[in-house]
Amino acid sequence: MSTQGPDASTRRWHGVHKALADPLRIRLLEALWEMPQSARELADRADLPADRLYYHLGQLERAGLIEIAEYRPLARGKVERIYAPAVTEPPSDAAEPEEMAEFLGSMLDATRADINAAYRSKQAGGRRQVDVHRGALRLTDEALAELRGHIERLATRFGNRDASGVWTRVVVAVVDLQDRPSPNTTAPESERLS
């Protein structure tokens, strides 16, 4: 049984939102999605002193967005921390609406940063693909279950973190735009005909 209070989960997602509010932290997270790196390596990419990044890395780590993946040995017995993105699970179905809103806000902020970075790279001559699709589908319970199954199989098939290739962010949202009818009721004739 958890010893955390009822607001602990909400505070956690507020921390995620706060951690992603700084553009530098978003850039650090983007760099770590490409490959795990040390603060020194990240500092070289950001053209900043490594000691300036420790605060930002600490914020990302406290928010549960990154973790220490390994310790790399250095000269004279010292070690450096290698950071990697943490696997962040969304709140459960029992979450309060505010908690889910905090999580989704953070997720959308991070997605917006990913898309912006890809377009900036394309403008600078880089080769990045960006595909954004938005639409509405009419799905029965069976069709929704089938769609979710396809998404899960795709995620499993392409989710090998050790595979070669380019890191590609995939965000899929399947959201009912209206309440589903109870299993015992049939849809009104006007809905069945459309």
Side-chain angles (χ1 to χ4, degrees):
M1 185 167 159
S2 175
T3 58
Q4 295 179 337
D7 292 332
S9 185
T10 301
R11 284 193 306 271
R12 177 174 180 262
W13 292 114
H14 179 70
V16 170
H17 185 70
K18 186 176 176 185
L20 292 175
D22 186 303
L24 175 60
R25 289 195 282 267
I26 292 173
R27 286 194 349 245
L28 293 174
L29 194 55
E30 288 173 349
L32 291 174
W33 270 107
E34 291 177 18
M35 66 185 313
Q37 299 174 62
S38 69
R40 181 180 42 81
E41 291 165 327
L42 289 166
D44 288 345
R45 285 183 71 144
D47 198 26
L48 293 168
D51 58 347
R52 180 162 172 229
L53 294 188
Y54 285 113
Y55 169 78
H56 296 286
L57 291 169
Q59 292 289 317
L60 291 169
E61 192 173 4
R62 275 189 289 288
L65 294 169
I66 65 170
E67 60 191 9
I68 298 171
E70 65 177 289
Y71 292 92
R72 182 184 296 157
L74 296 173
R76 297 185 205 145
K78 294 184 178 184
V79 294
E80 69 179 344
R81 293 175 280 204
I82 306 301
Y83 298 93
V87 177
T88 305
E89 292 295 326
S92 71
D93 287 343
E96 294 292 321
E98 296 80 16
E99 178 182 1
M100 188 56 79
E102 288 284 342
F103 171 75
L104 291 175
S106 298
M107 196 167 155
L108 292 173
D109 286 345
T111 302
R112 180 176 44 242
D114 290 338
I115 293 168
N116 287 339
Y119 276 111
R120 281 193 307 273
S121 174
K122 285 177 78 164
Q123 283 182 329
R127 292 185 59 235
R128 292 203 193 180
Q129 297 294 319
V130 181
D131 293 304
V132 178
H133 302 277
R134 185 172 188 265
L137 309 171
R138 291 181 77 88
L139 300 174
T140 63
D141 287 345
E142 294 79 18
L144 177 60
E146 183 179 344
L147 177 60
R148 285 181 169 161
H150 285 303
I151 293 168
E152 183 63 35
R153 284 189 293 282
L154 286 171
T156 301
R157 178 177 171 200
F158 294 106
N160 180 357
R161 294 180 69 88
D162 297 324
S164 62
V166 175
W167 281 107
T168 303
R169 171 91 60 229
V170 178
V171 177
V172 177
V174 179
V175 181
D176 282 338
L177 301 177
Q178 62 193 73
D179 289 342
R180 290 191 164 271
S182 299
N184 300 343
T185 63
T186 58
E189 184 151 347
S190 62
E191 286 189 19
R192 284 184 280 161
L193 296 176
S194 57

